Amino acid sequence: MAASLDPVRASLDRWMTRCKLTVRDHDGEVIPGIRKVEVLPAADRLLVDVPVGMTVDALRAKTGELANAARALACRVWEVPGSPGEAWVEFQHTDILISTVPALPIPQADESGMVPVDLAAVPVGMREDGTGWTIPLLARHVLVAGRSRSGKGSLIWSVLRYLAPAIRAGLVKVTGIDPKGGMELSIGRPLFTRYEADRAEAMVALLEAEADHMDCVALELAGNVRKFTPSMTHPLHLVIVDELATLTAYAPMDVRRRAEYALGRLLTKGAAVGWVVLGCVQEPSKDIIPMRGLFTYRIALGLDTPSQVDMVLGDGMRDLGALADQIPLTAPGMGYALSEFEKNPFRVRAAYVDDDQIRDMAAEYAPITTDANDVEDIPAAPMAGNRNEGQADEAKRPEPVEVVDLEECPPADVTPVVPDSLLAKLRNLPAADGSDGTEAA
């Protein structure tokens, strides 16, 4: 192994010297040494020791020079979490994101008959190094910012594609709000338990209904569980708003205030009790999205100005390489994201799910049962997926879905403070084993 690294070490020593990334001591020039090499589909990654007298920021400041020295397309440098004095230096040799990323496969049952679903790492596309790109959903809220035609829909449908088995089984319930008159979400409407695309007041009322439902579940779970785990009794609720600005900036004042209040409730409390908001926006300024800071995972697709990049990803992210304002319109779905384990942004591209794939997915994975409005007094919002008053054909009963690496919530051993209509619905949800759930309730 050591012999195989000798050519790499020789090249790196030469590059570091020419880029003036050395430190002088009594023994002469000290150069960052290689500890490990990883060869990825589109990049080579070196784990290096950062010598005393040098910082990771010094390496990061020379990424342009290092990329030129290695004749690479780009160079990235970032710290190793929990390992002071070490850094990763990555040289990208192929731009695999130029081509459209095809739709990712829908999870299928494994040998045990379970469909594994990891809500903490939902596959949605590819990273620039050729590895898969995943985003966290459980206990997170996701903001996708990008100009018109930047590919925000690719994120939405890639998320729903991975969640499809859980949606059919009832472990995930999706609410769709499409202020663009249904132009984006209506093609997959059977996947949505609740859906609204017409009037601003009706869309805000649906957000308020979700917030009220969330409050009821929070009262039931309080004092019984500390960590939310999706179950048939308490599924994960995903609220998708395709264009937030329509409700938070361009609607009448009373509607905007109601929308901000409902979204504020969902974003501050929802993650703890199983509500996730996935919001899309074209203009990410605070004037348009006052609650921008409450979204805990943010993605910058193609944007119009350099300042918008930092609005979405955080101060200084553009200087660290997130050039979202330079993404052309010919690359929809391309953008920059941050990992919870890396401080530097990385380039990504969401997988493209075409119209026929969405229709097929909606036909096959529509929810087996659909809530008939869990909270009373919800305005008429079209409900999708009803089949004989919620009863599915036995032949179409879905495979059981396993939520990966999560413990099952214990049943609440208290009398929940919820409306009778909601309590009845929660008690009559189908159980994971295919029973009607009455006995368990």
Side-chain angles (χ1 to χ4, degrees):
M1 184 67 173
S4 66
L5 290 180
D6 286 344
V8 181
R9 286 196 178 101
S11 295
L12 186 66
D13 288 352
R14 186 168 64 254
W15 300 339
M16 293 290 179
T17 300
R18 291 185 177 182
C19 295
K20 297 182 173 56
L21 288 169
T22 62
V23 177
R24 188 170 186 84
D25 65 8
H26 60 279
D27 293 326
E29 298 288 338
V30 180
I31 298 172
I34 300 176
R35 297 179 62 90
K36 182 180 179 182
V37 175
E38 292 184 356
V39 179
L40 303 173
D44 297 325
R45 189 176 289 172
L46 310 179
L47 179 62
V48 302
D49 283 318
V50 181
V52 175
M54 184 183 295
T55 65
V56 176
D57 285 338
L59 289 172
R60 188 180 289 123
K62 293 284 187 174
T63 53
E65 291 89 338
L66 287 171
N68 181 59
R71 297 300 186 260
L73 295 175
C75 175
R76 295 177 58 238
V77 175
W78 67 94
E79 297 95 340
V80 179
S83 297
E86 293 183 352
W88 284 106
V89 181
E90 180 181 277
F91 296 97
Q92 183 188 352
H93 54 72
T94 304
D95 190 356
I96 59 175
L97 300 185
I98 290 179
S99 301
T100 299
V101 179
L104 302 179
I106 296 175
Q108 301 298 318
D110 57 21
E111 295 179 355
S112 66
M114 303 292 288
V115 180
V117 173
D118 187 355
L119 298 175
V122 174
V124 293
M126 186 176 293
R127 294 175 51 149
E128 61 188 338
D129 59 11
T131 59
W133 173 34
T134 63
I135 66 172
L137 273 190
L138 191 64
R140 298 290 187 274
H141 299 295
V142 181
L143 178 66
V144 183
R147 66 172 81 94
S148 179
R149 316 314 299 168
S150 62
K152 297 184 288 295
S154 295
L155 261 298
I156 293 174
W157 294 115
S158 292
V159 167
L160 294 179
R161 189 168 178 81
Y162 180 76
L163 297 179
I167 293 172
R168 181 172 63 175
L171 275 173
V172 174
K173 293 185 179 295
V174 187
T175 292
I177 297 176
D178 190 351
K180 293 187 292 189
M183 290 300 296
E184 182 61 52
L185 302 182
S186 63
I187 190 172
R189 184 165 166 176
L191 293 170
F192 298 97
T193 303
R194 294 174 175 173
Y195 179 88
E196 183 59 62
D198 296 322
R199 297 177 297 109
E201 288 192 2
M203 289 184 271
V204 170
L206 187 49
L207 282 176
E208 292 170 333
E210 288 291 335
D212 291 341
H213 187 178
M214 173 198 68
D215 286 341
C216 292
V217 173
L219 286 172
E220 183 180 355
L221 296 181
N224 294 283
V225 296
R226 295 182 58 204
K227 180 181 178 181
F228 174 80
T229 301
S231 65
M232 297 303 295
T233 302
H234 296 297
L236 181 77
H237 291 262
L238 175 61
V239 180
I240 298 175
V241 186
D242 184 45
E243 181 48 65
L244 286 163
T246 304
L247 301 179
T248 61
Y250 307 134
M253 180 59 71
D254 61 325
V255 173
R256 282 155 47 190
R257 288 173 176 167
R258 290 169 56 194
E260 289 181 20
Y261 180 58
L263 283 167
R265 292 165 63 194
L266 289 167
L267 292 169
T268 53
K269 185 189 294 187
V273 292
W275 262 260
V276 174
V277 178
L278 193 165
C280 299
V281 66
Q282 296 183 33
E283 164 56 64
S285 68
K286 281 283 185 121
D287 292 339
I288 303 298
I289 307 295
M291 69 293 298
R292 185 184 69 206
L294 298 178
F295 286 90
T296 48
Y297 188 88
R298 285 172 272 180
I299 301 162
L301 301 182
L303 295 168
D304 291 323
T305 65
S307 62
Q308 289 180 337
V309 179
D310 288 352
M311 289 180 193
V312 178
L313 297 179
D315 290 343
M317 287 299 104
R318 191 183 186 280
D319 291 339
L320 293 178
L323 306 178
D325 56 299
Q326 296 183 10
I327 296 174
L329 286 172
T330 54
M334 186 181 292
Y336 288 85
L338 289 170
S339 164
E340 296 180 318
F341 310 104
E342 303 174 34
K343 292 183 179 179
N344 280 20
F346 51 87
R347 196 163 57 105
V348 295
R349 190 161 188 178
Y352 175 65
V353 186
D354 65 36
D355 290 358
D356 289 339
Q357 290 171 320
I358 295 173
R359 292 188 186 97
D360 292 344
M361 180 172 66
E364 183 174 354
Y365 291 96
I368 294 299
T369 60
T370 303
D371 296 351
N373 290 337
D374 293 318
V375 183
E376 293 181 338
D377 299 325
I378 295 177
M383 308 300 297
N386 287 324
R387 300 177 184 173
N388 298 329
E389 298 182 356
Q391 298 301 317
D393 295 335
E394 196 66 30
K396 294 185 177 181
R397 187 169 297 280
E399 301 91 346
V401 176
E402 176 186 17
V403 178
V404 176
D405 294 329
L406 297 173
E407 297 181 357
E408 190 69 20
C409 277
D413 189 21
V414 295
T415 301
V417 186
V418 295
D420 292 340
S421 59
L422 172 57
L423 182 59
K425 292 296 176 186
L426 291 174
R427 286 179 170 170
N428 288 325
L429 285 172
D433 60 2
S435 65
D436 61 8
T438 304
E439 182 177 345

